[in-house]
Amino acid sequence: MPIYEKEDGSQIRVAVSVGGKLRQKYFHPKTPEDLIRDRKKAKAVESEWKFEANLIAAQRNKERLEKRRNSAYVTGVGGIKMKFLVNTKKRPKRGAKTKRKRKVRYYTPAFVVSGSQDGKLYCRNFNIKTQGFDQAWFNAVTYLCEIKGIGHCDHLLKKKPPVVQFRVILNWQRKLGHKIPEARLPDELLEDSDQQEKST
């Protein structure tokens, strides 16, 4: 109950959580008339804060849903995402006489299976370049089913995302500052592009 009143009516306290922060207001009526007036004020403050709390909660829920919907990495199966993995290595500078090294980033399209089960974290990547899109998806789903103890995975295999989604991911990660070469797209996508160019 957000409104608390002492038995003798000497204090009224309003306490409402708004956006995860506790708001409080105290009233100290001196007379019976003050008590009646302060009860009304406390009720008005409670209503105002509750309304604000509901607005904030609704906005946050909307933002969460939008983030889930708009995420380029979502596959349609909880626990499996698709993205370009970034592997940074140090390599000697070309033609440099010193031992100073430069950072080189390698990008790999992959399905990433991650989460927690029985209090233990798990994370495993399935390389689409080496395994192929279909095989990497099969391996990712099979691994997730093993971790989660799911007997049949046919319904999850059918949720395989389209390979063209990697075009969206490529543009998204480039906006984040990654210089991903076009050649690092899944081979199935590159082959389709080559065939389209030949047919035009």
Side-chain angles (χ1 to χ4, degrees), residues 86-160:
V86 185
N87 186 12
T88 305
K89 292 186 177 179
K90 288 187 177 181
R91 295 282 184 255
K93 285 194 174 183
R94 289 175 189 154
K97 294 177 181 177
T98 63
K99 290 185 178 180
R100 289 183 68 184
K101 293 185 177 180
R102 61 192 171 100
K103 284 183 180 178
V104 180
R105 287 188 175 91
Y106 297 94
Y107 297 95
T108 305
F111 290 112
V112 180
V113 184
S114 63
S116 65
Q117 183 73 7
D118 300 326
K120 292 181 180 179
L121 295 174
Y122 60 86
C123 183
R124 190 166 167 188
N125 306 321
F126 296 87
N127 188 325
I128 292 169
K129 273 291 191 185
T130 57
Q131 298 178 29
F133 192 81
D134 291 344
Q135 188 62 47
W137 176 250
F138 177 82
N139 292 340
V141 170
T142 304
Y143 175 71
L144 181 68
C145 290
E146 284 174 12
I147 291 287
K148 295 290 185 183
I150 301 169
H152 300 283
C153 59
D154 289 352
H155 63 294
L156 296 178
L157 288 169
K158 288 175 184 176
K159 291 185 177 183
K160 181 178 70 177

Side-chain angles (χ1 to χ4, degrees), residues 160-178:
K160 181 178 70 177
V163 69
V164 291
Q165 188 173 330
F166 261 101
R167 285 254 174 230
V168 178
I169 296 168
L170 178 76
N171 293 333
W172 175 250
Q173 288 191 249
R174 278 178 173 175
K175 282 180 184 176
L176 295 176
H178 296 287

Side-chain angles (χ1 to χ4, degrees), residues 67-69 71-77 80-82 161 165:
K67 277 179 185 173
R68 270 191 224 119
R69 265 199 300 270
S71 175
Y73 308 136
V74 168
T75 63
V77 175
I80 305 179
K81 287 194 165 93
M82 54 197 289
Q165 188 173 330

